[in-house]
């Protein structure tokens, strides 16, 4: 599970930080694990994700997944998130995830979905 | 105490959890493993005696009733209660505490009353009280001394007043290992005419408990942490109090006489055991008590002290590892919580698992305490009578593997 790319993303998370004027700001947690992550997304008029940053703390799996997912989402249309599935995340991670750790991997997906919903809430 | 012989009684300890990796079970504070002597009694009950209790007049009903009632007697003697009337079987510690809460709310607690609990509690001894805020009942929390993880006892005296109706605390902490001075705390409660409830989930399995000596009014614990099956727990309550508080659940078996207008309650402890009980679980709990007594609670405690001391000494040598809880083994149970550098406890536990070492990670159902310690979660190893020094060594090897994986 702890392959080089996972550890690399954990030690040097990509897009880690905050955006001062995000279009969307959401967060969620896995309280049982003590993981808590949040995402700021900047979306332009054409609904393109111009910037995305995440903050918080989590285990190697949840942090690496979030880091990789922000890389994947940057530059994409916000509606890309709508069809993102559990399998997409697992494929992105490219490692076998045990039953007990699946929640860690999918925290990133859950937060992205929350961001998508938040964006469309007032429309 | 012959550990090798004891280990043979627990078939699960023989299994491999991953190819070539034998189980090293260090998650006993979550639940214990079960010896053949308990498993066999339960399966024998279903093969030979099973019937409903306290109603049928046939032979099986008589046998089942006797076995279930006997289990109450065994468990009450185990914690030195005077009689089985003071021993109520529940599902678990949480249900035992909820029973006390509901029974006190129905007639004994009113708006403006106060309760004292502590930040060291398991959620099971926080949530049932904090929800009473809606009824105008306030809960005050005694803090801990961060350095050694012991309660600031003086705060009980400071917080208690004429409105305090209940004082409650955990006997052995499931995170810090701290064993609290319940006798002293109980005295403060009683000097101020408050009830005293002790959460004994982590103490009864591991040490001799004497409810009379600690003079508590209620004492709650679970069977599954003390070699019995899941789904059976217990609540001790002083007879005169149990006689004077309302039942918790209503229905079958807890009544004496029923008319369409009103009912009268059954004798103790059955007044508090509505519906068909977990009969096999209760009998299993009785068998677990037999097993623990045959080994000897003082020997179990000594064994765990030695193991914990050994574990603490070895863990102290690990660079970047932070330990929690008291160092004085007189006030410490076999629970060791730690954090390792910046490695998330989930990752620690996952990597340990690949070596067959079962430890717990997370907030251990004690979020306020973990927060008070300034952490998001910890890794916890917890010992029991069947654990060995070699298994502690496996724990240390597991930690070394974590460090290697994370290039520390």
């Amino acid at each position: 599970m702890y392959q080089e790319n996972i550890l690399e993303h954990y030690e040097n998370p990509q897009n880690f930080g905050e955006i001062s004027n995000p279009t969307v700001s959401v967060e969620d947690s896995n309280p049982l694990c003590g993981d808590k992550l949040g995402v700021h997304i900047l979306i332009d008029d054409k609904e393109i994700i111009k910037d995305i940053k995440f903050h918080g703390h989590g285990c190697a799996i949840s942090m690496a997944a979030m880091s990789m997912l922000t890389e994947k989402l940057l530059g994409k249309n916000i509606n890309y998130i709508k069809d993102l599935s559990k399998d997409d995340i697992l494929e992105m991670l490219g490692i076998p995830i045990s039953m007990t750790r699946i929640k860690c991997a999918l925290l990133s997906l859950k937060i992205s979905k929350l961001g998508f919903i938040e964006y469309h809430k007032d429309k | 105490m012959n550990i090798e012989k004891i280990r043979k009684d627990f078939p699960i300890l023989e299994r491999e959890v991953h190819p070539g990796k034998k189980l090293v079970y260090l998650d006993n504070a979550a639940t214990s493993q079960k010896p053949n002597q308990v498993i066999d009694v339960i399966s024998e009950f279903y093969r030979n005696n099973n019937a409903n209790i306290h109603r049928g007049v046939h032979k099986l009903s008589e046998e089942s009733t006797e076995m279930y009632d006997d289990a109450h007697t065994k468990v009450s003697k185990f914690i030195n209660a005077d009689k089985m009337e003071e021993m109520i079987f529940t599902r678990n510690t949480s249900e035992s505490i909820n029973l006390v809460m509901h029974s006190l709310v129905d007639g004994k607690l009113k708006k403006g009353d106060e309760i004292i609990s502590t930040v060291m509690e398991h959620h099971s001894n926080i949530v049932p009280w904090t929800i009473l805020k809606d009824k105008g009942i306030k809960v005050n929390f005694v803090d801990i001394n961060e350095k050694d993880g012991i309660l600031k006892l003086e705060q009980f005296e400071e917080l208690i007043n004429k409105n305090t109706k209940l004082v409650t605390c955990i006997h052995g902490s499931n995170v810090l290992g701290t064993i609290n001075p319940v006798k002293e705390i109980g005295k403060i409660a009683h000097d101020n005419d408050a009830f005293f409830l002790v959460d004994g989930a982590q103490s009864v399995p591991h040490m001799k408990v004497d409810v009379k000596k600690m003079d508590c009014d209620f004492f709650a614990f679970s069977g599954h942490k003390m070699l019995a099956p899941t789904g059976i727990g217990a609540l001790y309550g002083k007879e005169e109090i149990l006689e004077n508080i309302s039942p918790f659940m209503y229905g079958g078996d807890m009544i004496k006489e029923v008319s369409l207008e009103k009912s009268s309650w059954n004798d103790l402890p059955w007044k508090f055991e509505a519906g068909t009980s977990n009969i096999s679980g209760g009998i299993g709990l009785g068998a677990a008590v037999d097993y623990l007594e045959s080994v000897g609670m003082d020997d179990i405690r000594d064994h765990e002290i030695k193991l914990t001391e050994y574990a603490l000494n070895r863990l102290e040598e690990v660079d970047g590892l932070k330990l929690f809880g008291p160092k004085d083994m007189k006030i410490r149970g076999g629970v060791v919580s730690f954090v390792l550098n910046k490695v998330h406890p989930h990752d620690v536990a996952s990597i340990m698992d690949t070596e067959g070492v079962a430890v717990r990670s997370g907030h251990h159902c004690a979020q306020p305490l973990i927060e008070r310690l300034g952490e998001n979660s910890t890794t916890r190893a917890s010992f029991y009578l069947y654990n060995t020094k070699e298994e502690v060594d496996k724990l240390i090897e597991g930690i070394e593997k974590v460090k290697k994986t994370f290039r520390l």
Side-chain angles (χ1 to χ4, degrees):
Chain A
M1 202 150 69
Y2 297 93
Q3 284 170 11
E4 192 60 31
N5 64 329
I6 300 292
L7 292 171
E8 186 55 42
H9 274 278
Y10 178 57
E11 281 162 14
N12 302 299
Q14 300 302 296
N15 302 309
F16 192 79
E18 300 188 6
I19 298 172
S20 54
N21 55 340
T23 320
V24 166
S25 170
V26 285
E27 61 174 40
D28 201 12
S29 60
N30 281 339
L32 273 169
C33 327
D35 290 358
K36 195 171 184 177
L37 296 176
V39 160
H40 292 164
I41 312 174
L42 187 68
I43 303 157
D44 73 5
D45 299 344
K46 293 184 181 107
E47 302 202 316
I48 301 297
I49 297 173
K50 295 304 277 183
D51 197 5
I52 180 165
K53 290 262 189 311
F54 81 102
H55 55 272
H57 52 80
C59 65
I61 306 300
S62 63
M63 291 288 279
M66 196 72 244
S67 169
M68 287 161 129
L69 188 58
T70 56
E71 281 188 319
K72 195 181 174 87
L73 292 177
L74 188 63
K76 294 237 171 42
N77 189 294
I78 180 75
N79 296 314
Y80 174 82
I81 294 172
K82 191 182 168 204
D83 295 326
L84 265 184
S85 70
K86 173 182 159 186
D87 289 343
D88 292 329
I89 302 296
L90 296 181
E91 192 185 325
M92 175 187 82
L93 284 164
I95 49 163
I97 301 277
S98 65
M99 277 286 287
T100 51
R101 301 299 301 274
I102 203 96
K103 263 179 88 175
C104 312
L106 297 184
L107 183 59
S108 55
L109 178 67
K110 208 171 148 208
I111 292 170
S112 308
K113 296 276 183 191
L114 286 176
F116 171 77
I117 292 165
E118 182 73 20
Y119 176 70
H120 286 288
K121 203 172 71 181
D122 303 322
K123 307 215 156 181
Chain B
M1 207 167 116
N2 184 343
I3 303 293
E4 246 171 78
K5 187 168 163 274
I6 287 171
R7 287 183 70 85
K8 287 206 175 79
D9 291 331
F10 293 81
I12 206 168
L13 299 178
E14 283 306 311
R15 77 161 275 195
E16 275 185 6
V17 280
H18 298 292
K21 304 288 179 190
K22 215 170 133 182
L23 171 67
V24 176
Y25 188 75
L26 303 179
D27 194 16
N28 294 287
T31 197
S32 74
Q33 298 302 344
K34 323 300 174 197
N36 285 325
Q37 287 84 338
V38 169
I39 299 168
D40 291 348
V41 161
I42 295 164
S43 91
E44 188 54 25
F45 168 73
Y46 280 122
R47 285 177 204 285
N48 203 32
N49 314 98
N50 178 50
N52 212 329
I53 50 169
H54 299 156
R55 47 207 95 187
V57 291
H58 55 76
K59 185 66 182 163
L60 293 190
S61 178
E62 189 189 309
E63 285 174 4
S64 296
T65 301
E66 201 181 318
M67 290 168 85
Y68 187 67
D69 293 5
D70 269 0
H72 282 68
T73 306
K74 280 180 194 170
V75 179
S76 49
K77 280 186 182 149
F78 187 61
I79 58 166
N80 201 29
D82 273 332
K83 40 185 133 177
M84 68 98 83
E85 282 78 2
E86 299 183 312
M87 180 53 60
I88 301 158
F89 281 2
T90 61
R91 278 192 307 138
N92 47 43
T93 308
S94 289
E95 186 173 300
S96 296
I97 294 172
N98 272 269
L99 187 161
V100 175
M101 184 272 279
H102 282 286
S103 296
L104 290 183
V105 162
D106 188 7
K108 299 283 179 203
L109 293 175
K110 57 178 195 309
K111 195 173 167 191
D113 284 346
E114 294 183 15
I115 289 167
I116 300 176
S117 183
T118 84
V119 298
M120 201 189 277
E121 304 307 303
H122 186 283
H123 294 162
S124 66
N125 204 22
I126 296 175
V127 186
W129 309 118
T130 51
I131 58 142
L132 298 180
K133 195 178 164 196
D134 294 347
K135 297 189 189 301
I137 295 161
K138 189 180 164 201
V139 191
N140 295 302
F141 292 94
V142 167
D143 194 15
I144 53 159
N145 186 332
E146 219 173 310
K147 209 175 119 255
D148 48 9
I150 61 173
L151 288 172
K152 291 180 175 165
L153 278 189
E154 68 281 6
Q155 289 193 353
F156 283 100
E157 297 273 16
E158 288 160 21
L159 290 168
I160 206 159
N161 61 54
K162 62 180 189 344
N163 296 322
T164 309
K165 292 289 153 60
L166 174 77
V167 174
T168 184
C169 72
I170 199 164
H171 193 185
S173 166
N174 65 319
V175 175
L176 300 164
T178 316
I179 298 168
N180 288 317
V182 280
K183 199 178 163 189
E184 273 179 82
I185 298 166
K187 187 169 185 314
I188 299 170
H190 289 150
D191 285 350
N192 291 273
D193 297 321
F195 289 117
F196 182 46
L197 160 70
V198 176
D199 169 358
Q202 300 290 347
S203 60
V204 177
H206 304 281
M207 58 196 266
K208 187 94 200 99
V209 163
D210 186 331
V211 289
K212 269 194 286 192
K213 219 183 246 173
M214 78 173 73
D215 193 25
C216 57
D217 300 309
F218 303 103
F219 191 91
F221 55 104
S222 294
H224 70 96
K225 293 184 200 292
M226 53 186 288
L227 314 183
T230 50
I232 189 76
L235 176 71
Y236 156 84
K238 280 184 186 160
E239 190 178 22
E240 66 270 24
I241 297 172
L242 294 179
E243 291 285 10
N244 284 305
I245 59 174
S246 307
F248 163 44
M249 288 203 286
Y250 297 85
D253 206 24
M254 53 76 65
I255 37 78
K256 194 162 264 171
E257 279 184 80
V258 179
S259 73
L260 293 180
E261 286 78 32
K262 62 173 191 169
S263 305
S264 59
W265 313 136
N266 201 345
D267 297 331
L268 292 174
W270 319 121
K271 171 185 168 186
F272 291 96
E273 292 192 24
T276 295
S277 302
N278 179 357
I279 303 167
S280 65
I283 292 165
L285 178 56
V289 162
D290 284 342
Y291 187 90
L292 290 169
E293 282 187 327
S294 74
V295 178
M297 292 311 291
D298 289 336
D299 285 356
I300 292 173
R301 172 83 178 122
D302 281 349
H303 173 67
E304 288 181 23
I305 286 177
K306 283 188 196 115
L307 268 188
T308 310
E309 254 178 342
Y310 179 66
L312 289 174
N313 285 338
R314 292 227 47 195
L315 287 163
E316 263 169 9
E317 289 165 14
V318 178
D319 258 357
L321 190 138
K322 181 177 167 195
L323 283 162
F324 301 94
K327 298 250 176 352
D328 179 1
M329 286 311 302
K330 283 203 285 296
I331 55 158
R332 173 151 198 158
V335 171
V336 179
S337 281
F338 61 89
V339 290
L340 180 63
N341 286 347
K342 279 187 279 177
V343 185
H344 194 287
H346 255 49
D347 297 319
V348 174
S350 267
I351 292 167
M352 295 268 200
D353 174 63
T354 60
E355 293 299 306
V357 181
V359 291
R360 173 83 188 269
S361 59
H363 58 50
H364 318 293
C365 300
Q367 257 178 310
L369 174 59
I370 299 294
E371 208 164 286
R372 179 67 186 79
L373 295 170
E375 302 294 336
N376 299 309
S377 62
T378 72
T379 307
R380 177 187 73 191
S382 50
F383 310 116
Y384 209 3
L385 74 166
Y386 38 67
N387 288 123
T388 63
K389 271 188 172 181
E390 291 70 31
E391 288 182 311
V392 175
D393 292 338
K394 291 274 182 204
L395 171 77
I396 304 294
E397 284 168 30
I399 292 170
E400 292 306 329
K401 186 174 176 191
V402 174
K403 292 182 79 172
K404 209 173 143 200
T405 307
F406 277 84
R407 303 179 280 221
L408 296 170

